Amino acid sequence: MSEGGYNEEIKVLDIFDDKELLKLAIGRQCMEQGKQYKTTRSSKERFEVVCLVENCSWMVSARGIKSTTAFQVTKVVDQHTCYATNLESNYRQSKKKAWRAKQYALLMLRGTQEDLFTKLPSYLHNLVKHNPGTVTQIRTDDDDRFEFVYIALGCPVSSDNFL
């Protein structure tokens, strides 16, 4: 019977101590192959998964062993017939998810553009306060909408600081 560290490919007649270990092994295998699956049957007696891509032949089926919590693999179709057509689609979906996650993280970190504009006067005040000679100006239109910000840093250089 398999313990938690199952790292081999799943084969017919493999036995897992329980359904959770079987699911874990299937999940690992799919993760390594970069594939997704869906469960089509899950009960105390049977467990079946298929590729998430329609009409792909990949699947794993297992049956519960009577009077135990163990499951034995009864059928494996290990070849994905969706590989060529699904790879680009998964890549595009992953890229979109990553972009949305990045945008959400930036929003949480920085806030909205409106939030940033409300902080601009305070930022410019501190810039002038801590950088002598700095000049700043915020320009808005007649409707009090932001047009531009002007910043000229006054960075006095004294030779005494470097000797």
Side-chain angles (χ1 to χ4, degrees):
M1 291 196 183
S2 172
E3 297 300 324
Y6 194 87
N7 286 325
E8 300 174 19
E9 282 197 24
I10 298 167
K11 301 178 294 299
V12 173
L13 301 181
D14 282 351
I15 297 175
F16 295 85
D17 289 339
D18 57 34
K19 187 170 28 172
E20 292 305 313
L21 288 175
L22 172 62
K23 288 163 60 174
L24 183 64
I26 292 170
R28 274 193 197 142
Q29 183 173 325
C30 287
M31 187 174 68
E32 288 170 5
Q33 294 174 354
K35 295 293 182 177
Q36 295 179 337
Y37 66 93
K38 65 181 176 182
T39 304
T40 55
R41 213 168 259 183
S42 181
S43 68
K44 292 180 182 179
E45 297 85 32
R46 292 179 73 183
F47 186 73
E48 292 179 5
V49 294
V50 297
C51 182
L52 194 59
V53 177
E54 227 174 291
N55 299 323
C56 179
S57 60
W58 181 88
M59 63 93 64
V60 176
S61 180
R63 289 199 174 269
I65 299 174
K66 290 187 192 231
S67 303
T68 71
T69 59
F71 273 75
Q72 183 173 26
V73 178
T74 55
K75 184 175 181 182
V76 175
V77 178
D78 203 30
Q79 292 298 319
H80 281 273
T81 55
C82 64
Y83 181 74
T85 59
N86 193 34
L87 186 62
E88 187 176 320
S89 173
N90 280 346
Y91 173 74
R92 272 188 266 129
Q93 288 176 0
S94 295
K95 198 171 176 181
K96 283 180 188 176
K97 282 183 183 177
W99 186 84
R100 283 195 309 265
K102 177 185 174 188
Q103 295 307 312
Y104 180 74
L106 289 173
L107 179 65
M108 293 294 101
L109 180 66
R110 297 179 182 160
T112 64
Q113 288 183 350
E114 291 80 11
D115 294 339
L116 291 174
F117 283 121
T118 61
K119 295 176 184 176
L120 190 58
S122 174
Y123 172 74
L124 295 178
H125 171 77
N126 284 321
L127 199 59
V128 169
K129 181 178 172 183
H130 296 288
N131 295 285
T134 295
V135 176
T136 65
Q137 182 181 7
I138 299 174
R139 168 109 10 122
T140 57
D141 65 11
D142 294 335
D143 295 326
D144 204 32
R145 290 182 299 201
F146 177 82
E147 284 187 336
F148 70 86
V149 62
Y150 175 79
I151 301 172
L153 292 177
C155 300
V157 177
S158 171
S159 62
D160 296 340
N161 292 338
F162 299 104
L163 297 178

